[in-house]
Amino acid sequence: MELGDAARLGPERVVRALPPRLLLLPLLPLLLGRGLRAAASASSSGAAAEDSSAMEELATEKEAEESHRQDSVSLLTFILLLTLTILTIWLFKHRRVRFLHETGLAMIYGLIVGVILRYGTTATSGHDKSLSCTQEDRAFSTLLVNVSGKFFEYTLKGEISPGKVNSVEQNDMLRKVTFDPEVFFNILLPPIIFHAGYSLKKRHFFRNLGSILAYAFLGTAVSCFIIGNLMYGVVKLMKIVGQLSDKFYYTDCLFFGAVISATDPVTVLAIFNELHADVDLYALLFGESVLNDAVAIVLSSSIVAYQPAGLNTHAFDAAAFFKSVGIFLGIFSGSFTMGAVTGVVTALVTKFTKLHCFPLLETALFFLMSWSTFLLAEACGFTGVVAVLFCGITQAHYTYNNLSVESRSRTKQLFEVLHFLAENFIFSYMGLALFTFQKHVFSPVFIIGAFVAIFLGRAAHIYPLSFFLNLGRRHKIGWNFQHMMMFSGLRGAMAFALAIRDTASYARQMMFTTTLLIVFFTVWIIGGGTTPMLSWLNIRVGVDPDQDPPPNNDSFQVLQGDGPDTARGNRTKQESAWLFRLWYSFDHNYLKPILTHSGPPLTTTLPAWCGLLARCLTSPQVYDNQEPLREEDSDFILTEGDLTLTYGDSTVTANGSSSSHAAPTSAEEVLERDLGMGEQKVSSRGTRLVFPLEDNA
């Protein structure tokens, strides 16, 4: 285009006719200026973003470092508590102080540290504001929050009542010492429960097994329903007087009855063991507490599973009730089976391998198999407490016989130390939780009602059950034993662990606070009064654990007499033990030879057509009799046809027949006269056994 042509076109048409590149020439200064400013602005904003990101990363690293330091301090706190407890225990044992047990000491030290942490430390964190999510009708376990294009993950810690929104704990140290309840169940409880089964004194336990089962199963169920109904009346009273600020259902009361029915007389049993109190009383209390914990946890799970049909989910429904009973039986039997099977598998592995040549590997395998029983049961929907308890009993009865000498000592000591540390850790945490737990609900009416209810619930099953049990026991449970069992119904680690596992609702928070106070009272007051109570009730102390009570012992009322009464007592003894005789006959003749290196060869007990299988399963040590049954792992109730006892001129068989070169005497008279004060060795098929003195259960 020429200049003349441009002049004839005019300014507007010239602009439209100019090429695009020429149009941009006048705008270059303006565009360059804006571009430079934009570039400068972009570079400055980028630098600012980089500085902000670097500052955030630095702050995050500092928070992580501070969190790590607080974690170390919280764990160090508990280690120092345990150390101080151990030193004080030594001092108390050195000075022979028995008014306060080690668990009570751990609770006191926990209380002191809790007071220091609560009132001696300041808030170290804060929250800016509360975000409202009114469109959602439920709480989410995990939230992803978008903050200026960055996503942050938040996890659910629990519900907070509207009145406590502004008082949320801002002290990071107090948060650190508040453990997840699953820590108690998955880490601290397994060694405690396993040690109870693994260290069980089977001789006295199985001799009183019938009574122990009655107290543990029937007694716990009776106690649960009595406490639950009494507490429901207390809740109704609280509602009338205006002290109930939220919902509290009948099922909540039954759940509290199941939780608080879990007895843990660790203080009493420790004093019994130190003073060598009567072995049968010890067996009754220990056996009840061991099985009672298992029953209580399964019973509480069954109550939680109670779901009536219809709108009112807390009304009584017969179908839902029987469904809960079925759940109870299913969970308990499944957990029992899982624990026993794990013990049997461990016994087979240790028998048919050469692990005994490597004691370290043998001990490690034993430890892992035992602990995995708890986790396996929980993962399958059963109860780990029941599984690991019966796993411990099975391991002690079978696997222990296959271990090397070093592994036997190591496993006993290992679980004893773990039991001691875990138990004292829990009691220390109880004292700490009284001041560090954020959701306490103190209700004086509910607390007083709970104390009355547990007293009545304990009495309502100890005395009636003892009366009915004495109808079938040859050695009666005397009144002094019954009073001591009534007095010894302490609450401890299991009740605390069950109560702290769920503190989401108002009712559960009140239960937890009340349970904590009940544990404090029973451990300090009742535990401290054990020694005076033993003296006041005239219960024997300083007794050899392997010695049986004499026939004229005041602790037992022995059925004596002539004629029909004596015959009736003899029949009672024979009838009460027939089931256990059958079991121990099967165990001695088949299970022990299959699972251990002891017992009679299977070639002599199995049919002839099973000869090949018998030779494969029987250990060579059985033929050589290199490892006979040890006395502490022997059978206590035997069949009536296999045994022959020879004392002087008298020969007594287990089925009651006798022969003598002198005047003939009955089997009962020979046992009462010659076996009254101790165990006697019996020979049967080359294996050393122990014949029971009395069958009390």
Side-chain angles (χ1 to χ4, degrees), residues 187 192 205 218 233 244 318 350 381 428 536 564 579 596:
I187 297 178
I192 295 176
F205 177 84
L218 292 178
L244 196 66
T350 54
S428 297
W536 185 62
L579 179 62
T596 69

Side-chain angles (χ1 to χ4, degrees), residues 249-497:
Y249 298 106
Y250 178 68
T251 51
D252 294 326
C253 296
L254 286 180
F255 179 81
F256 178 72
V259 167
I260 210 65
S261 294
T263 60
D264 186 18
V266 57
T267 304
V268 176
L269 292 176
I271 295 176
F272 279 13
N273 192 43
E274 185 176 352
L275 297 177
H276 299 290
D278 192 286
V279 289
D280 284 304
L281 176 60
Y282 183 93
L284 288 172
L285 274 176
F286 180 79
E288 181 205 7
S289 67
V290 167
L291 296 180
N292 162 274
D293 288 346
V295 173
I297 191 171
V298 180
L299 190 60
S300 63
S301 301
S302 304
I303 293 173
V304 172
Y306 177 79
Q307 293 293 337
L311 298 177
N312 189 358
T313 58
H314 295 278
F316 178 78
D317 188 319
F321 172 76
F322 287 108
K323 181 181 178 181
S324 295
V325 174
I327 291 174
F328 174 86
L329 296 177
I331 292 178
F332 195 93
S333 58
S335 304
F336 165 79
T337 303
M338 188 167 292
V341 167
T342 307
V344 167
V345 170
T346 310
L348 290 174
V349 171
T350 54
K351 176 183 178 181
F352 291 104
T353 61
K354 298 291 186 180
L355 276 174
H356 64 271
C357 299
F358 306 94
L360 179 61
L361 300 181
E362 190 178 37
T363 304
L365 178 68
F366 184 92
F367 174 81
L368 294 176
M369 291 290 289
S370 302
W371 201 306
S372 64
T373 305
F374 183 93
L375 302 177
L376 180 62
E378 292 289 335
C380 294
F382 296 110
T383 300
V385 170
V386 180
V388 79
L389 170 65
F390 287 100
C391 176
I393 296 175
T394 307
Q395 301 276 45
H397 194 58
Y398 298 115
T399 310
Y400 184 84
N401 295 297
N402 301 333
L403 300 179
S404 61
V405 177
E406 295 87 346
S407 295
R408 290 174 198 160
S409 177
R410 285 177 178 177
T411 53
K412 288 283 188 182
Q413 294 175 0
L414 173 63
F415 281 101
E416 185 176 5
V417 171
L418 290 176
H419 164 264
F420 173 82
L421 293 177
E423 190 171 59
N424 282 278
F425 184 94
I426 290 179
F427 279 95
S428 297
Y429 186 80
M430 288 184 197
L432 201 69
L434 187 63
F435 292 97
T436 60
F437 188 70
Q438 305 174 30
K439 303 174 183 178
H440 281 304
V441 177
F442 291 93
S443 174
V445 176
F446 191 86
I447 293 171
I448 295 174
F451 273 100
V452 176
I454 62 173
F455 178 82
L456 296 178
R458 183 75 178 168
H461 84 264
I462 289 294
Y463 295 114
L465 281 180
S466 299
F467 171 77
F468 288 110
L469 289 172
N470 280 338
L471 297 179
R473 285 178 61 103
R474 188 166 184 270
H475 280 168
K476 307 301 183 183
I477 304 175
W479 283 105
N480 54 348
F481 275 23
Q482 297 179 39
H483 295 329
M484 194 67 215
M485 294 180 67
M486 170 68 192
F487 179 81
S488 303
L490 283 75
R491 272 62 179 176
M494 181 57 67
F496 173 79

Side-chain angles (χ1 to χ4, degrees), residues 39-58:
S41 176
S43 62
S44 62
S45 62
E50 291 179 359
D51 293 341
S52 176
S53 177
M55 292 296 293
E56 289 181 1
E57 291 180 359
L58 184 60

